[in-house]
Amino acid sequence: MPEENTPEPLTGPVLELAKLRAGLAAGLTVEQSQRLQGADETALTADATSFAAELNPTPQGPRSGGDRGPDAGSGTGRGTVGAGVAAYRAKHGLDENGNRPAPKPLPTGGRNPFVEPSYTRS
């Protein structure tokens, strides 16, 4: 009878080394390689490649708006630095030089508003 060549199950430190080799070959870290399951090198290699594929999925299609986002360089002026500066100035009431407008003077009627009222005339 011909003898079948079945791989012997790995155990102990040999199994840990095989997990590390299979994981690093698939692009996994040492911590991720320790989670691999299998009794021989082929099972560990298959588990490592499927685990790496789950962690780093391939993109399904083109991204909406490209890699830079939907409003970057859209031609409408949105998404530029100048548009952001103009929006900030409009929100905070600043002029083109970044200064706030001069406050309006308070009406005092020509008298000192900090004088305490008294009943005596001086």
Side-chain angles (χ1 to χ4, degrees):
M1 229 165 42
E3 184 179 311
E4 293 184 20
N5 192 6
T6 59
E8 190 174 318
L10 303 173
T11 58
V14 177
L15 176 64
E16 294 299 319
L17 182 61
K19 285 182 181 182
L20 184 62
R21 284 183 183 161
L24 292 178
L28 300 176
T29 64
V30 175
E31 290 81 16
Q32 293 167 340
S33 298
Q34 293 173 352
R35 298 179 182 203
L36 296 178
Q37 297 178 357
D40 59 351
E41 299 225 8
T42 56
L44 289 172
T45 304
D47 190 29
T49 54
S50 66
F51 187 40
E54 288 177 14
L55 292 177
N56 302 320
T58 58
Q60 299 299 325
R63 296 176 62 181
S64 173
D67 291 335
R68 299 180 300 162
D71 63 349
S74 61
T76 60
R78 290 183 55 202
T80 62
V81 174
V85 169
Y88 181 84
R89 286 181 180 158
K91 180 180 178 183
H92 295 285
L94 303 175
D95 63 3
E96 292 180 5
N97 295 328
N99 299 323
R100 296 192 189 280
K104 296 179 182 176
L106 297 174
T108 60
R111 57 188 163 83
N112 186 353
F114 300 107
V115 165
E116 294 183 15
S118 67
Y119 293 105
T120 60
R121 287 194 110 159
S122 312

